Amino acid sequence: MREIIIGENEANQRLDRFLLKYLNNSTRSNIYKLLRKKVIKINGKREKENYFLQEKDKVQIFLSDEALDNLIKEEKVELVKNVNIDIVYEDDEILIVNKPKGLLTHPDKKEYKKTLSTRVQSYLRHLQTHTFKPASVNRLDQNTSGLVIFCKTYEALKKYNEMMRNREIKKYYLCIVHGKVSDEGEIKGYLTKNSKKNIVEITKNNYNNNGQFIFTKYKPLEYYNNFTLLEVEILTGRPHQIRASLNLINHPIIGDTKYGGKKIGNITTQVLHAYKLIIGNRVFVKESKDIERIIKKISE
């Protein structure tokens, strides 16, 4: 028999969801069968799959070590020794870091170790359990820099994910675009992915109900010759939303050749930085040295 004592980061979640993460080589139907047969008990009693775990609950699994080991798949944990993260803010719930351009937010099929998530989880390794690890509530493209929020507890993750869904976290970006944008404005439409071109496209109408609604606001801040420094607010978070939105109004981001932008010198990717977050009455700002450097160049 193995006994797991529920801690803060496992509490307040359904029993079946906890077990799916803990017994990660099993299936939902098998876990339900183990619960029905009282192979898994909570505090010595049978509980249904929709039971919400409480802190200090004892999850008891009445299986041999060998049988239990077959239900648990060892996950590859990549931690880095020399953690290099730019911390903008930290408290008991969240960590806000400045992601550099060129770094993935999360692992993908090609890269697991050299990501922002791996760096943050290495920094917060003391908070990881078998079923929880600090996770982000927003993400940025590889070549977009700026602020990313990581939650340090399971309760915080639920709270901030809900705030993000309810648009209670305001996200602002800085970018340099081609041409002079004379007035502030907004873009509403429907985003669909063009798999052949590997880009997203925005249309006014939601054809065949296949599109995702997008809402982007923008306002010009400064002009530099035939370029504009824009502040962009996204009220929906879709992949490539800003890049496609600005291309739609014929003011693509410089360097963003995928979405209508042109190369400027050695600038061959989008000049886009998530510089401000507003959470309630708290404002977090991180300026971009890259943008400051590019402004000097295009001002000459």
Side-chain angles (χ1 to χ4, degrees), residues 137-190:
V137 295
N138 64 316
R139 67 185 301 161
L140 300 175
D141 290 345
Q142 183 173 1
N143 288 316
T144 298
S145 59
L147 300 178
V148 180
I149 306 169
F150 283 83
C151 289
K152 299 168 70 173
T153 67
Y154 177 69
E155 281 298 308
L157 188 60
K158 289 195 299 182
K159 171 184 170 182
Y160 279 83
N161 274 330
E162 184 177 5
M163 291 174 71
M164 193 69 76
R165 285 193 297 270
N166 295 334
R167 300 180 185 174
E168 295 172 17
I169 299 175
K170 296 184 178 181
K171 299 169 286 183
Y172 296 86
Y173 293 70
L174 291 177
C175 59
I176 301 172
V177 300
H178 291 280
K180 291 192 174 182
V181 182
S182 56
D183 297 302
E184 61 185 75
E186 60 183 42
I187 302 159
K188 293 181 180 179
Y190 294 89

Side-chain angles (χ1 to χ4, degrees), residues 42-75:
I42 310 299
N43 304 319
K45 299 188 299 181
R46 176 190 170 185
E47 295 288 356
K48 292 186 177 180
E49 62 273 4
N50 61 355
Y51 172 80
F52 275 82
L53 291 164
Q54 303 299 310
E55 194 169 352
K56 297 183 180 179
D57 271 351
K58 296 177 181 178
V59 179
Q60 296 146 336
I61 305 175
F62 295 87
L63 290 172
S64 68
D65 288 342
E66 183 180 358
L68 191 53
D69 288 342
N70 288 332
L71 298 179
I72 299 174
K73 179 174 63 178
E74 284 297 323
E75 292 185 342

